[in-house]
Amino acid sequence: KVEFDKNLTGKVHIYIQNELDVTVNIIDGMATYNISTLNVGHYEVIVRYTNQYFNSTTKTSQFNVNKMDPSFFADINDIVYGNDGIIIATLPADAQGTITFIIDGSESIKSISDGTANITLTNMDKGTHSVTVRYSGDSNYNNVSLTSSFSVKDDYCDIRLSINDTA
C-alpha cells in the first residue's frame, strides 16, 4: 500500500527486484497492489511517482517474506483386525519434503507428492496405537507435527440370544 495526499491522482510505478514491475492507479490518495507469489526472502521495493504538475518522487523500502505454518492434517481411522489401514497426510499442493510417520515408536519416512504422503499399515496387533505425523518443512513452510491414536478392533461382536417360551 502506497499512501499519498488524499487529493492526489495519477499512477505510481512499483518495482520489486526482478519479481514485480507494475503501474497502479492512485485512488483517493492510495495505491494498493497485492502479491502472493514471492518466495521466502528479503526484498527491496522501489516506488516511483511521476506527474506533470509535481516533482517526481522515488521511495525505497525493504521487507521480508517469512516461512509460514502450512495447513496440515492427517486422516487417521480405526482398523478392522486383519485388514490394512492407511494414514494420509495432507499439506498445501506446493509443499515439498518428507513426512515421517511414527507408529508406536517405529518411524517410516515418505516423500510428499502433490501435497500428500501416505503409509499403509499391515499386520497391526489389536489394541490402541499411537501415531505422530511430522512434516520436515521446506523453503516456504515451517516444520509441523501432530499426534493422535487409532485402534485395531475385531470386525464384529458375537451375540447369542436365547428365547424360551414360558407358559
Side-chain angles (χ1 to χ4, degrees), residues 80-97:
V80 174
Y81 181 73
N83 292 341
D84 292 345
I86 188 167
I87 299 174
I88 302 170
T90 305
L91 293 144
D94 63 340
Q96 299 177 4

Side-chain angles (χ1 to χ4, degrees), residues 26 28 38 44 63 67 113 115 139 156:
I26 301 169
D28 295 327
L38 293 177
E44 180 177 82
F63 65 94
K67 284 186 179 188
S113 177
S139 61
Y156 63 92

Side-chain angles (χ1 to χ4, degrees), residues 94-145:
D94 63 340
Q96 299 177 4
T98 59
I99 298 288
T100 302
F101 296 92
I102 306 168
I103 315 296
D104 295 334
S106 179
E107 290 188 11
S108 180
I109 299 173
K110 304 290 183 176
S111 294
I112 297 168
S113 177
D114 295 323
T116 64
N118 63 65
I119 185 171
T120 300
L121 306 173
T122 59
N123 302 317
M124 296 296 298
D125 293 332
K126 292 179 191 175
T128 301
H129 300 272
S130 66
V131 57
T132 299
V133 183
R134 201 176 334 164
Y135 170 51
S136 62
D138 64 17
S139 61
N140 292 314
Y141 296 107
N142 293 316
N143 60 335
V144 290
S145 66

Side-chain angles (χ1 to χ4, degrees), residues 2 12-14 18 26 29 31 35 57-58 67 70 78 84 95-96 100 104 113-114 117 122 124 133 147 151 154:
V2 183
V12 64
H13 181 82
I14 303 171
N18 301 319
I26 301 169
I35 182 169
T57 303
T58 301
K67 284 186 179 188
D78 289 344
D84 292 345
Q96 299 177 4
T100 302
D104 295 334
S113 177
D114 295 323
T122 59
M124 296 296 298
V133 183
T147 301
S151 295
D154 285 323

